[in-house]
Amino acid sequence: MNKATLFLRFFSLLIFIGCQQPQPETDIIARVGDASLSIRELSEEIPQQLQTSAKQTEIKEYVIRWINKEVLYQEALSLKLDQRPDFQKELARLKRELIINELLELAIDRNPIKISDAEIQNVYDQSDEDFLLNDDVVRCYHILCSTREEAESIRSQLAQGVAFEEVVEAMNPDSLRFQNWDLGYFTKEQIIPEISKVVFNLPVGAHSSAIKSDFGYHILKVIDKRSKGQKRHLSDVKEEIRMRLTELKRQEYYERFLLQTKSKYQIHSNFQLLDAMTSDSLVSAKKGE
């Protein structure tokens, strides 16, 4: 058992212990003055999915960062920086913003935003210029083989009409280095030169011969080709449109929620006073003159 594995098991055990009745002294990893960092607190800070894969050095680095920050924090308190009026004002402003954001998130959570396929299709149909290609692109299926003989055998099967998906499924997993055989759309600059100079000259539906590279031997099938200036497929921009519509609906909901909330409070404004003031007056007011 190597040191990293031993440490991870030990760390997992400590986390388990930390989740039981804490032991004030033995549970402490680091201490700065009266402040301390316990196993429980450490386990809460590190995401659960990373706890079993975290390296010993990474966990130590986190503890060191905590110590450094705590030292600086305590030094700032000793200088009473937290009592300065400008700091208190900024702290109040940040608290105000955090509370407002929490309110908005809770409001949106009560009314989840849903984007239908019809809405996405409508945006796609009405926004031709937003989704134009900046470069020529090709979409390919791809198999990477260890030997030329294996690659030529696969190409022969494809030439006889065997579906690309069937060939992939029938291959020995040890010889299939790239499991993601649908490469999607890519430009010449996004793929290795050995492949780009071949597939961009093949017609749609054609299979390449075995293409040798530093990775092995490649067999590709051209699924689609689109030229610069053409519109991207809906499938390629669907999530982009969904995010755009989600943000738009969030803004619309925010405006409705704000309007409804404002109706609950008495609001008074005196813009005449503001209109009568000059920029110099604002500066003087800021200085307290």
Side-chain angles (χ1 to χ4, degrees), residues 21-40:
Q21 292 297 326
Q23 300 177 18
E25 294 302 322
T26 60
D27 193 41
I28 302 302
I29 298 176
R31 189 186 299 277
V32 177
D34 294 332
S36 61
L37 177 68
S38 68
I39 287 292
R40 179 192 297 274

Side-chain angles (χ1 to χ4, degrees), residues 212-229:
K212 187 178 185 304
S213 77
D214 293 339
F215 303 99
Y217 294 86
H218 309 259
I219 295 293
L220 296 105
K221 178 180 179 179
V222 179
I223 303 302
D224 189 27
K225 302 178 74 174
R226 300 187 70 79
S227 302
K228 177 180 179 180

Side-chain angles (χ1 to χ4, degrees), residues 140-145 151 154-155 157-171 176 178-183 205-208 218-223:
C140 289
Y141 289 167
H142 168 263
I143 292 178
L144 178 64
C145 304
I154 288 172
R155 187 177 188 280
Q157 295 179 55
L158 295 172
Q160 294 173 13
V162 180
F164 205 95
E165 297 89 332
E166 294 180 17
V167 174
V168 172
E169 291 175 359
M171 288 186 66
L176 183 59
F178 289 165
Q179 297 296 329
N180 297 323
W181 49 273
D182 186 349
L183 298 181
H207 300 94
S208 72
H218 309 259
I219 295 293
L220 296 105
K221 178 180 179 179
V222 179
I223 303 302

Side-chain angles (χ1 to χ4, degrees), residues 133 135-138 183-193 195-196 200:
L133 289 166
D135 296 286
D136 295 343
V137 295
V138 170
L183 298 181
Y185 288 90
F186 53 85
T187 66
K188 290 181 179 180
E189 290 72 25
Q190 292 173 329
I191 202 73
I192 59 175
I195 289 178
S196 67
F200 277 86

